[in-house]
Amino acid sequence: MARLLVLAAAVLLAFIAQRFLPTSTYFEDALWLYAAAALLVAWATRPFFRSRNAASDGSAPQSDGARPAARKWGWGVIALAAGIALIVSAYQWAARPAGDIIVLWLLSIGLLVYGAYKADGHRFRIGLPSRKVLLNELLPLAGILLLASAIRLYELGTLPPGSLSDEAVPAWIALRLMRGDPAVDSPFTIAWAHPNISYYAIVAFYHIFGVGIHALRVFAAVKGILSLVAIYLLGRTLFSPPAALVATFLVAVATWHFHLSRLGWEGVMEIVLLETLSFLFLWQGLHTGRVLWFAAAGLATGFTLYGYTSGKMAVFIAIGFLGLWFLFKRGFADRSFYRGVAMFVLAAAIAFAPLGTFIAKNPNAYLWRTNEVSIWRNAANNHLGILEVYGRNAGLQTEMLVYRDASAPRYGTSNTPWIDFAIAPFFVLGLAYSL
C-alpha cells in the first residue's frame, strides 16, 4: 500500500509539473517537480512490473530437446539463404534486371525464415484464444483499433487541406514509377532522398484507391494502425495485457501518432512499426534463445534502413541494447546468445543486401539527406562544438515533446507539445522508470 501511495504522489507531482511547464514563471519549479516525481516512480514501480517471460532473470534458456538432424537441416537452409543473398548483391552490382533481384531477394528471406524455424527444432503451436483472452484482451483491442481507424481514415483526402512538399514528392515519384520512368525502375535504388521501395507500395495503393493524395494518406494510416498492434504485442510481452491495452489506447489518441498517420510523408510511419517489431522479436529471442525470433528481429531492423532517415538509428540502438544485455545479463552470455546475435546480424544483412550494394556504388545518394541534417554540418556552419550542437538539439526535441513545438506551422499543433497534457506525465515517468 505504501508503494501505491508513493506512486500516486509521483503521478500527482508529474501532472502539476506538466501544468506549470509551459509557463515561464514556474518553468524551473516544474523541472524540479518532474525530477522528484521521477525519483518516486523509480522507487515505487519496480516491484510491480516484471517481464512475462519465464527467463526474465537473464538466465540462459533451457534446451527443448529438439532433434539434432532437424537443427542441422535448418542451419544448412540458412547457409543457402546467405549464399543467395550474395548472388543478390552480385546481381545488384552488375545492374541486372530488377525483377531477377527481387525474386532472389524474397527467396533468400523466405529460406532464412524457414531455416531458422527448422534450426530451432520445434514447432510453434498456434491455437484459438480462450474465452477469457477474447473478452479481456482481443475485444478491447479491436475497439481501440476501430477508434484509431476511424480518426485516421476520416476525410483523408481533404483534411488536412492541400499537401506539403514532403507529401507531394513521394506522390510524384510514385506517379513516375507508374509511367515507367527508368529512374525508379528498381526498389533498391534511390531516386530522391530515400530508397524507391516505398514508392512501389504507394503505386499499389494508387491502383486500389486511385491516383491522388487520398491513396498516399491511406498508406500512412494503414502503417499507423498496424504499429498500434505491434505496440500492444510489445506491451503485453514486457508488462501485462491491461498495461498493453492502456498503452495502445494512449498512442492511438496521441497527437503525434494521429497526425503522422494522416500525412503521406515518405517512410515515416513504417519506422514506428518496424522498430517496435524489431524490439519485440529481439526481446523474445533474448528470453527464449530461439533462432527464429532473432531472425525476425534482424529482418525488421534491416527493413528500417529502407525507410525514413531516422531509421538508420535503429541499427545502432539495437547494437547498444545487445551490448547492455551482455554486460548486465551475464548469465545469458553463452553459446545461445552468440548464436542469436549472429542470426540477427545475418538477417539484417540479407534484408539490406540489395540496397547496401547500391549504396556501396553510390554512397552519396543514400547519405546526402543524412549529411544535410547532420550535427557535424550544423556545427561547422555555425562554428560550434559537436557537444554544444548535440545538447541544443536534444533540448529542442525535448521541448517539442512536452513543452512546446516551435515548428507549429509545419505540423499544425498550434505551438503545443506533441505529447498531450494527459499523456506527457506518464511519458516522463515511464522514461524515468526505464532508465
Side-chain angles (χ1 to χ4, degrees), residues 31-197:
L31 294 181
W32 282 110
L33 287 173
Y34 254 137
L39 291 175
L40 290 176
V41 79
W43 179 83
T45 58
R46 186 169 295 275
F48 295 103
F49 293 106
R50 297 294 185 191
S51 170
R52 293 174 56 83
N53 296 281
S56 61
D57 59 351
S59 59
Q62 300 298 316
S63 172
D64 56 9
R67 293 172 297 175
R71 291 186 182 275
K72 291 180 179 179
W73 168 253
W75 286 107
V77 175
I78 292 171
L80 177 61
I84 295 176
L86 291 176
I87 297 175
V88 168
S89 295
Y91 273 31
Q92 179 73 359
W93 187 271
R96 295 288 294 272
D100 297 344
I101 297 173
I102 293 172
V103 170
L104 289 174
W105 182 60
L106 293 177
L107 177 62
S108 67
I109 292 175
L111 288 174
L112 176 76
V113 173
Y114 176 73
Y117 166 76
K118 297 298 290 185
D120 281 331
H122 68 276
R123 296 181 178 179
F124 282 106
R125 295 178 175 85
I126 302 176
L128 294 176
S130 65
R131 188 171 183 271
K132 180 179 179 181
V133 171
L134 182 64
L135 294 177
N136 296 342
E137 296 186 50
L138 297 186
L139 286 182
L141 177 62
I144 294 171
L145 294 178
L146 285 175
L147 172 64
S149 301
I151 62 178
R152 281 160 177 76
L153 296 173
Y154 176 74
E155 294 290 342
L156 267 182
T158 56
L159 294 175
S163 64
L164 293 171
S165 60
D166 286 324
E167 287 184 305
V169 169
W172 169 62
I173 296 179
L175 188 59
R176 288 169 52 192
L177 173 61
M178 291 184 69
R179 295 173 176 174
D181 190 329
V184 284
D185 62 353
S186 170
F188 308 119
T189 57
I190 298 173
W192 186 243
H194 305 104
N196 293 340
I197 195 168

Side-chain angles (χ1 to χ4, degrees), residues 167-168 170-175 178 199 201-213 215-216:
E167 287 184 305
W172 169 62
I173 296 179
L175 188 59
M178 291 184 69
Y199 307 133
I202 294 171
V203 167
F205 277 78
Y206 277 172
H207 285 299
I208 298 172
F209 298 99
V211 177
I213 197 68
L216 191 69

Side-chain angles (χ1 to χ4, degrees), residues 213-300:
I213 197 68
H214 178 261
L216 191 69
R217 291 176 177 175
V218 170
F219 180 41
V222 168
K223 292 181 289 185
I225 295 166
L226 290 176
S227 72
L228 294 175
V229 178
I231 289 169
Y232 168 77
L233 294 174
L234 180 60
R236 191 181 192 277
T237 300
L238 293 177
F239 302 109
S240 66
L245 289 170
V246 171
T248 305
F249 173 77
L250 292 178
V251 176
V253 298
T255 298
W256 69 270
H257 196 280
F258 163 74
H259 186 71
L260 293 176
S261 296
R262 287 184 60 91
L263 292 175
W265 289 354
E266 183 181 353
V268 174
M269 287 311 297
E270 55 256 46
I271 298 302
V272 180
L273 170 62
L274 290 171
E275 283 200 44
T276 304
L277 289 176
S278 174
F279 284 99
L280 169 64
F281 298 149
L282 192 57
W283 186 267
Q284 292 282 20
L286 289 169
H287 283 83
T288 64
R290 292 177 178 173
V291 175
L292 184 57
W293 287 123
F294 284 103
L299 290 174

